[in-house]
Amino acid sequence: MKKTLLILMTLGLFACDQQTNQTQSLQKQIDSLEKKLENTYKPGFGDFMGSIQAHHSKLWFAGLYENWDLADFEVHELMEAIEDIEKFHEGREETLLIGMIMPPLDSISKAIEQKNTALFNSSYTSLTNTCNQCHKAVDMEYIIVKTPDTPPFSNQDFQPLK
Ligand code: HEC
């Protein structure tokens, strides 16, 4: 009887020990995953703005040449970048302001759908004004966006396929 009790107690201790080992090993895995997450590359707000700047410019030339398919593509690239800012920079003061860009983007989308050059031009001006309005709101009024004079890339043809 005494012997059985001793065996049972030893088994119990052994099981307990194994559990502690498992917990420790899980904690180690969590720590290592947390470290990996911390070191994952996350584009900065400025990186997204650089991409937005390029698509803003391309959008102008797509509209200028009435390349509506490309214009539609560029508007969606801009929308995606906005969504990414909202996702990757959630909670930042600047991110709370980014939504102001949606009404002019929606208006440009409508112009593209209607292939309406006049509406495209006025919506584009309103989009550019909104870029600057936000830069002012975040005390970066020295970042001044304007309608581009020349295409941003010489290795892309902005005219529609003939
Ligand atoms: C949240 C409001 C907001 C809106 C809307 C916005 N920006 Fe910005 N923009 C910023 C902030 C904040 C920065 C500074 C980012 C940083 O810290 O690097 C910035 C920086 C920039 C820069 C500077 C990048 C550089 O290195 O010179 C450019 C260019 C730019 N934005 C273009 C645009 C364009 C084009 C639009 C409109 C299509 C736009 N932005 C709309 C907030 C905004």
Side-chain angles (χ1 to χ4, degrees):
M1 186 62 198
K2 242 186 182 172
K3 212 170 177 185
T4 322
L5 201 67
L6 199 68
I7 290 170
L8 279 177
M9 271 170 68
T10 314
L11 278 176
L13 271 177
F14 184 67
C16 228
D17 212 38
Q18 223 179 9
Q19 220 170 24
T20 315
N21 275 345
Q22 258 174 6
T23 312
Q24 274 171 353
S25 139
L26 277 176
Q27 188 60 50
K28 236 187 216 163
Q29 266 179 305
I30 291 171
D31 290 347
S32 125
L33 282 173
E34 271 178 351
K35 198 162 187 186
K36 260 193 199 146
L37 264 181
E38 254 171 51
N39 293 332
T40 305
Y41 175 72
K42 179 173 103 170
F45 211 99
D47 296 323
F48 286 118
M49 279 298 149
S51 154
I52 286 174
Q53 177 178 26
H55 292 299
H56 172 268
S57 180
K58 288 180 176 197
L59 174 63
W60 173 251
F61 290 97
L64 184 70
Y65 294 122
E66 302 190 331
N67 187 349
W68 301 117
D69 287 338
L70 179 62
D72 186 54
F73 175 82
E74 297 300 346
V75 164
H76 283 97
E77 291 295 299
L78 284 169
M79 287 175 174
E80 255 174 50
I82 303 298
E83 276 167 23
D84 283 344
I85 287 180
E86 284 171 339
K87 182 166 131 195
F88 290 107
H89 292 281
E90 195 188 354
R92 259 177 76 154
E93 222 175 293
E94 297 91 332
T95 306
L96 298 175
L97 294 168
I98 200 80
M100 66 164 76
I101 208 175
M102 287 318 287
L105 283 182
D106 287 339
S107 178
I108 292 181
S109 273
K110 210 174 285 164
I112 292 169
E113 216 178 275
Q114 299 172 2
K115 302 186 189 299
N116 181 338
T117 301
L119 181 61
F120 178 89
N121 290 345
S122 62
S123 309
Y124 192 87
T125 302
S126 144
L127 172 70
T128 306
N129 289 340
T130 309
C131 304
N132 292 324
Q133 219 175 301
C134 195
H135 294 155
K136 234 177 239 157
V138 296
D139 293 326
M140 290 180 166
E141 60 286 336
Y142 48 84
I143 301 175
I144 304 159
V145 178
K146 65 185 194 75
T147 300
D149 304 315
T150 50
F153 297 97
S154 63
N155 61 353
Q156 184 172 357
D157 192 350
F158 293 92
Q159 307 213 37
L161 273 179
K162 276 159 209 109

